[in-house]
Amino acid sequence: MAAQPVARRLEARHPRLVARAGLGAITCGLLLAALTVAAGLPVLNAVTTVVLGAGYGFVLTYGLGAVARIAAPGGLAGLTAVAYALVYVGMFSPLLLTVLAKAVPLDAALTAMAVLAAACLGYVSRQTRAAGCTVPDGRAVPDVRECSAGR
């Protein structure tokens, strides 16, 4: 929750800036988690937790903002419910990591997750530069900043 005010300020500058910041923080946090495990330094847990928490908060804020931008009139509640259901699927990642750690070293699994997060960051960054967006009535908006939070 502490990340949300910062995320909203980033979103006001550019809608996907908060997504890029969140994915960057998640990538760094997962690499820190891998380092924590590999080096056996539990003292890094606090730093890792803050970085991952900020990243997750940014990405959640971006996702809910995107839902608000694309929802049809009268469809916001249903679309928000779907978004939260998908977010909660991610809550199974610790269980997945626990199961995976029986076959693969935990630091390797965390590094692989960091690579996936970095790939998502690359994709979002390319989309930010390449795409405009539309508003609910179908008008194209050439400057992506105008699409932020329904503006």
Side-chain angles (χ1 to χ4, degrees):
M1 289 184 347
Q4 288 182 353
V6 176
R8 297 232 188 273
R9 284 195 296 275
L10 289 174
E11 185 182 40
R13 289 182 52 211
H14 193 291
R16 291 194 184 136
L17 183 58
V18 68
R20 292 189 329 237
L23 288 166
I26 290 169
T27 301
C28 291
L30 288 168
L31 290 172
L32 275 170
L35 175 65
T36 300
V37 171
L41 296 171
V43 70
L44 291 177
N45 281 339
V47 174
T48 302
T49 301
V50 170
V51 173
L52 283 172
Y56 296 154
F58 282 14
V59 170
L60 178 62
T61 299
Y62 172 76
L64 292 176
V67 164
R69 287 188 294 278
I70 66 172
L76 181 60
L79 199 53
T80 300
V82 170
Y84 270 115
L86 292 172
V87 166
Y88 285 129
V89 168
M91 301 287 186
F92 286 102
S93 61
L95 175 62
L96 176 64
L97 282 170
T98 301
V99 171
L100 201 58
K102 294 176 182 171
V104 177
L106 184 56
D107 56 333
L110 290 165
T111 302
M113 290 176 71
V115 169
L116 288 172
C120 290
L121 174 58
Y123 177 80
V124 168
S125 294
R126 276 194 311 280
Q127 295 302 311
T128 300
R129 287 188 289 276
C133 63
T134 59
V135 291
D137 67 4
R139 290 180 294 118
V141 180
D143 185 356
V144 177
R145 285 176 289 174
E146 293 182 35
C147 296
S148 178
R151 292 188 236 359

